[in-house]
Amino acid sequence: KDHGAGRRGTERGRAWCVSRVVRWEGGAMAKLAGLTGSVILSFLLACMCVGALQFYKDSFAASAGMQTAGGVVAGLFFFFLLILLSGISDAFSRNRSSTGWPTVLVCLGAAEWAASSVHPACCTSCGVTSLLLTGYLQYCSEALSKAR
């Protein structure tokens, strides 16, 4: 049965093509595209945080206020790294599960290492910032799960 695919100039042919595109976009490809964008953006932001910590290492280590700022930047590195790893695990897992505490601890270890490479005092503010951002992610996760 010809659904108008051969008649590209007719209304029936255009409607058939549009319905095929809508069915394709509504599936798993759209979810994967959203995950891919999230993974790429969080990867770039995590790299920018580590790059800023290393590039401005002397500035962050200069005073107590800047050491706190360095810890906050390292905490943001934790946040973006956690989003990156959870996006990768969502892309490759069959069932949708939350990111577990081992992943959080790995990200925290990486963030603390990045903070300690600037100054040991940055580790405290990195830990506090990471704790606050973990609570924020938990709050957002619960709010999104209730909305579904």
Side-chain angles (χ1 to χ4, degrees):
K1 185 175 181 180
D2 184 23
H3 292 285
R7 297 176 279 160
R8 295 182 187 190
T10 65
E11 288 297 319
R12 190 172 182 184
R14 276 186 250 143
W16 182 80
C17 290
V18 169
S19 70
R20 293 287 277 180
V21 169
V22 169
R23 274 187 257 147
W24 179 76
E25 287 178 355
M29 293 300 288
K31 178 186 170 201
L32 186 60
L35 274 174
T36 304
S38 172
V39 166
I40 291 171
L41 184 62
S42 59
F43 173 74
L44 290 174
L45 290 171
C47 288
M48 284 178 58
C49 287
V50 170
L53 282 172
Q54 295 305 313
F55 190 73
Y56 297 110
K57 181 188 284 193
D58 296 332
S59 298
F60 281 130
S63 67
M66 289 301 287
Q67 290 169 2
T68 303
V72 171
V73 172
L76 289 173
F77 170 65
F78 161 81
F79 181 73
F80 296 129
L81 186 63
L82 188 60
I83 292 174
L84 171 72
L85 292 180
S86 66
I88 289 172
S89 68
D90 276 352
F92 291 114
S93 67
R94 294 197 185 274
N95 58 353
R96 196 169 168 123
S97 62
S98 63
T99 302
W101 284 108
T103 306
V104 173
L105 293 176
V106 165
C107 294
L108 182 63
E112 292 289 339
W113 171 78
S116 69
S117 70
V118 173
H119 193 276
C122 293
C123 294
T124 305
S125 57
C126 173
V128 171
T129 305
S130 300
L131 181 67
L132 292 174
L133 290 172
T134 303
Y136 175 72
L137 284 175
Q138 181 67 27
Y139 170 77
C140 290
S141 175
E142 288 176 2
L144 286 174
S145 66
K146 286 180 185 177
R148 290 183 189 182

